[in-house]
Amino acid sequence: MIAQLVTSFIASAAFGIIFNAPRRALLQCGLTGMLGWIVYYILDPRLDTVLSTVAATLLIGVVSQLSAKVYRMPVIIFSVAGIIPLVPGGLAYDAMRKFVENDYNAAVQLAAQAFLISGSIAIGLVLSEVLNQAFRRRKN
């Protein structure tokens, strides 16, 4: 578990470096990705992968909103770096490999799973933004 946490932190912070996030935001980018991975890691054996991805992305979105307020930076710096450990790149690669090997049944199943996980990431980010706007309106 410790190795996965460290790896998710490094992946998120490194993605922040690749996309020219400010240096003072890299620690928060890594922590955001690590927190999302913790939620995913805990919920995935108990729930469906799609639901655990939605929950992890929702937390990433909320933490990104809070980090953006505290550090006065755009939300996208934290949210994009934070979702990197959840992106199903390996699954999409396997789907394409099965297509090349003419194993279409397995390829379609893997591609559908990658598509659902990608959609759940988008739903989690949109849901966190909707919650943020609802709290802002209620506050005013």
Side-chain angles (χ1 to χ4, degrees):
M1 169 121 179
I2 301 278
Q4 290 195 14
L5 296 180
V6 170
T7 305
S8 62
F9 179 87
I10 291 171
S12 297
F15 201 78
I17 293 171
I18 290 172
F19 281 95
N20 292 326
R23 280 187 178 184
R24 60 188 176 109
L26 294 179
L27 180 64
Q28 289 77 30
C29 290
L31 289 175
T32 304
M34 189 174 73
L35 287 174
W37 188 255
I38 288 171
V39 170
Y40 176 80
Y41 187 78
I42 291 172
L43 293 180
D44 191 41
R46 295 175 180 92
L47 296 175
D48 185 45
T49 301
V50 172
L51 291 177
S52 58
T53 304
V54 168
T57 309
L58 179 65
L59 177 72
I60 289 169
V62 169
V63 170
S64 297
Q65 299 278 346
L66 294 173
S67 295
K69 275 187 180 179
V70 170
Y71 297 104
R72 298 178 190 254
M73 292 182 192
V75 175
I76 197 164
I77 290 174
F78 305 105
S79 63
V80 170
I83 64 168
I84 288 303
L86 299 174
V87 171
L91 206 56
Y93 173 79
D94 287 341
M96 290 307 296
R97 191 180 61 169
K98 293 293 182 183
F99 273 119
V100 171
E101 294 173 353
N102 294 329
D103 187 3
Y104 297 114
N105 288 332
V108 168
Q109 287 178 352
L110 291 170
Q113 192 174 4
F115 180 74
L116 288 173
I117 292 172
S118 300
S120 65
I121 290 172
I123 288 171
L125 288 176
V126 168
L127 193 59
S128 70
E129 180 62 29
V130 168
L131 289 174
N132 182 39
Q133 289 184 7
F135 283 125
R136 281 186 180 181
R137 285 186 186 162
R138 188 174 180 189
K139 192 175 178 181
N140 292 331

